[in-house]
Amino acid sequence: MELINGQYCIQDIPVIELAKKYETPLFVYDANKIEEQYKKMVNAFDVPKLKINYACKALTNINVLKLMKELGAGIDAVSPEEIKLSLHAGFEPEEIVFTPNSVGTDEIEEAIKLGVKINIDNIELLEYFGHHYPDLKICIRINPHVMAGGNRKISVGHIDSKFGISIHQMPLVLRIVESLEIQVEGIHMHTGSDILDVDVFLYAADILFNQARNFPDLEYIDFGSGFKVKYKSDDIETDIVQFGKQMSKKFNAFCKETGKDLTLAFEPGKYLVSESGYFLARTNTIKQTTSTVFAGINSGFNHMIRPMFYNAYHEIINVSNPEGVPKLYTVVGYICETDTFGYNRKINTLTPGDILVFKNAGAYCYMMASNYNSRLLPAEVMIRDGKDYLIRKRQNFTDLLVNQVEVNLPVEQVTAE
Ligand SMILES: *Cc1c(COP(=O)(O)O)cnc(C)c1O
């Protein structure tokens, strides 16, 4: 989003026009930004074989999935529904990796039927595969126990994490793989989100390289994600060029040393879509209390829960008053619970009716939205090459009744004596 002739625009389209045309609350995604991020990532690595699997839980609108397909990405899916959405969007089963956690064998069976690759994250499942599907190639998710990540909720590599098979259990894993003759085509790690330190990542990568030596059938190593994007203008983001250089060097050296012709794989979500997204909401009320000026908007954590759930910072801009004097506001939602989007934010003077834009709304925003307080889900719009497209309709009241079953309970007869 940038100022063009004094108006905030996404590509060349004034944000105010989008708010008028589609109404608020509204999610807007800049498809060209997604493409830019994808290409930045691909260009950062210099290896013979690279695969970027989009972690689609970040944003599964089928138009985003189709865009990823067009760009050449694969898919990292965490549920059978994500697999089916990806197939619907045109992905081949072999382009999809299913990386589940704590699922039953019913979901594993479903994924096998759908023909996708499967990433195994516990030993029981490994044995299950060895016994029932000795011919299927698999990937093993390893937990290297590297403490990384922006906060504990999103850090999944630590010792208490429920994810992956512990690096300390690898002797057992190898015994099972060898005795059941399981073909391990991939090994995988995903240490958590928001990795700021390239060296921490490379340290964990070394642990995976060491494990890679034990699997003769190996075709790829998947280093997961953790690529951080900017949430504020002065934020640090993962230095993808620097990381790509160092990682490629390590990877190529490993392939050369071991004589393996491997694919280097990653599965970013946030990196590809976070910055492409904008959430538009309207200011309803300005309320001055003893110590605070509250700006109340026509949304809440039912639409964007990251600020409340993760303490995530989303920059907030008043696009209706680009020249206005900045004042301090605490931006809150209309949910009957505390739902603060931002405390004491410097925002250009607000009046009711002004449109606020929340940045970094592409990843984990719409996907985590709910109907809490019986509020409707917003519409989604995609902008590509200067044109805007509605890619999901706003919900309407009848959507709230879908699947509800009205029963006529027998009324108890109360007889007056
Ligand atoms: C969520 C997830 C990702 C994506 O993480 P981002 O921080 O959005 O890049 C990648 N891999 C796995 C297994 C995940 O669960």
Side-chain angles (χ1 to χ4, degrees):
M1 191 172 68
E2 54 180 355
L3 274 170
I4 301 175
N5 298 327
Q7 282 205 90
Y8 280 101
C9 295
I10 301 172
Q11 294 189 20
D12 289 338
I13 306 174
V15 179
I16 293 295
E17 297 302 320
L18 293 169
K20 271 193 202 133
K21 182 170 174 185
Y22 299 102
E23 302 184 334
T24 59
L26 180 74
F27 282 96
V28 178
Y29 310 116
D30 179 342
N32 296 74
K33 177 65 183 169
I34 295 176
E35 184 174 349
E36 182 191 320
Q37 289 297 102
Y38 181 81
K39 290 188 172 158
K40 208 161 40 164
M41 185 157 222
V42 168
N43 292 334
F45 296 94
D46 183 15
V47 294
K49 290 197 266 179
L50 178 74
K51 189 76 203 176
I52 306 295
N53 292 322
Y54 169 50
C56 72
K57 72 177 184 288
L59 183 60
T60 53
N61 187 292
I62 49 173
N63 299 281
V64 173
L65 298 179
K66 279 183 173 176
L67 173 62
M68 294 295 177
K69 167 78 185 160
E70 183 192 317
L71 294 174
I75 289 288
D76 181 72
V78 294
S79 69
E81 290 72 21
E82 284 189 354
I83 296 173
K84 288 180 201 166
L85 282 170
S86 303
L87 291 170
H88 179 88
F91 285 90
E92 299 298 329
E94 58 272 18
E95 294 176 301
I96 302 168
V97 184
F98 183 41
T99 305
N101 177 263
S102 305
V103 304
T105 46
D106 53 337
E107 287 196 6
I108 298 293
E109 292 291 344
E110 195 176 349
I112 292 169
K113 279 205 191 85
L114 292 169
V116 301
K117 292 183 189 299
I118 296 177
N119 197 351
I120 307 265
D121 113 319
N122 75 61
I123 286 176
E124 287 67 32
L125 194 55
L126 184 65
E127 289 183 308
Y128 180 87
F129 255 84
H131 288 302
H132 294 88
Y133 300 98
D135 297 331
L136 281 188
K137 296 176 179 179
I138 54 144
C139 178
I140 296 180
R141 180 172 185 170
I142 298 171
N143 186 341
H145 299 309
V146 174
M147 187 61 191
N151 69 49
R152 201 166 173 85
K153 266 189 202 161
I154 54 175
S155 172
V156 296
H158 55 81
I159 195 91
D160 296 328
S161 169
K162 67 167 185 166
F163 295 98
I165 297 175
S166 167
I167 191 81
H168 306 302
Q169 291 174 302
M170 288 315 283
L172 176 57
V173 167
L174 288 176
R175 205 175 310 145
I176 295 167
V177 166
E178 275 159 27
S179 63
L180 298 180
E181 294 177 14
I182 299 171
Q183 293 176 64
V184 179
E185 63 169 358
I187 53 173
H188 165 274
M189 72 171 195
H190 173 63
T191 52
S193 273
D194 285 8
I195 293 166
L196 295 168
D197 191 341
V198 167
D199 288 333
V200 174
F201 205 108
L202 292 174
Y203 171 75
D206 272 336
I207 296 175
L208 219 57
F209 281 129
N210 273 333
Q211 291 305 323
R213 295 170 199 277
N214 298 323
F215 299 101
D217 303 322
L218 208 65
E219 288 168 27
Y220 61 92
I221 307 181
D222 183 340
F223 290 93
S225 182
F227 303 100
K228 186 183 169 359
V229 295
K230 281 188 187 188
Y231 281 83
K232 303 176 188 175
S233 54
D234 60 349
D235 239 0
I236 25 173
E237 61 184 344
T238 305
D239 184 344
I240 191 86
V241 172
Q242 183 61 20
F243 174 68
K245 240 187 223 154
Q246 285 178 252
M247 190 70 201
S248 304
K249 207 170 138 199
K250 250 183 202 294
F251 191 79
N252 290 331
F254 178 78
C255 289
K256 196 167 169 210
E257 181 211 320
T258 55
K260 290 177 197 281
D261 176 28
L262 300 174
T263 297
L264 174 60
F266 292 98
E267 37 181 46
K270 186 184 288 178
Y271 188 83
L272 297 181
V273 297
S274 173
E275 292 161 296
S276 80
Y278 301 89
F279 181 56
L280 280 53
R282 189 193 63 220
T283 312
N284 282 338
T285 56
I286 305 294
K287 179 176 180 179
Q288 166 91 62
T289 63
T290 45
S291 59
T292 306
V293 184
F294 287 102
I297 65 171
N298 66 341
S299 181
F301 72 60
N302 51 319
H303 296 150
M304 205 167 91
I305 202 173
R306 298 187 75 256
M308 306 83 185
F309 198 42
Y310 301 121
N311 271 326
Y313 184 97
H314 289 264
E315 204 179 322
I316 307 171
I317 294 168
N318 179 3
V319 293
S320 299
N321 191 8
E323 315 272 280
V325 180
K327 288 189 186 170
L328 286 184
Y329 296 95
T330 289
V331 179
V332 295
Y334 56 18
I335 292 294
C336 290
E337 254 179 80
T338 302
D339 59 344
T340 305
F341 287 97
Y343 293 91
N344 295 324
R345 294 295 186 85
K346 230 163 103 179
I347 298 170
N348 289 2
T349 307
L350 275 169
T351 36
D354 282 359
I355 302 298
L356 289 178
V357 166
F358 295 74
K359 292 174 84 173
N360 290 83
Y364 309 110
C365 289
Y366 189 93
M367 300 317 297
M368 294 176 98
S370 75
N371 286 119
Y372 188 45
N373 278 206
S374 297
R375 297 285 187 178
L376 307 175
L377 293 177
E380 292 182 296
V381 164
M382 180 185 262
I383 299 179
R384 186 154 196 205
D385 301 330
K387 277 173 91 173
D388 50 296
Y389 305 89
L390 180 70
I391 57 170
R392 193 192 302 260
K393 291 180 196 167
R394 183 176 303 287
Q395 273 188 329
N396 58 43
F397 177 70
T398 51
D399 290 319
L400 294 183
L401 295 171
V402 170
N403 289 341
Q404 293 208 53
V405 180
E406 259 180 278
V407 291
N408 294 313
L409 295 172
V411 181
E412 228 174 275
Q413 296 298 315
V414 183
T415 44
E417 285 294 310

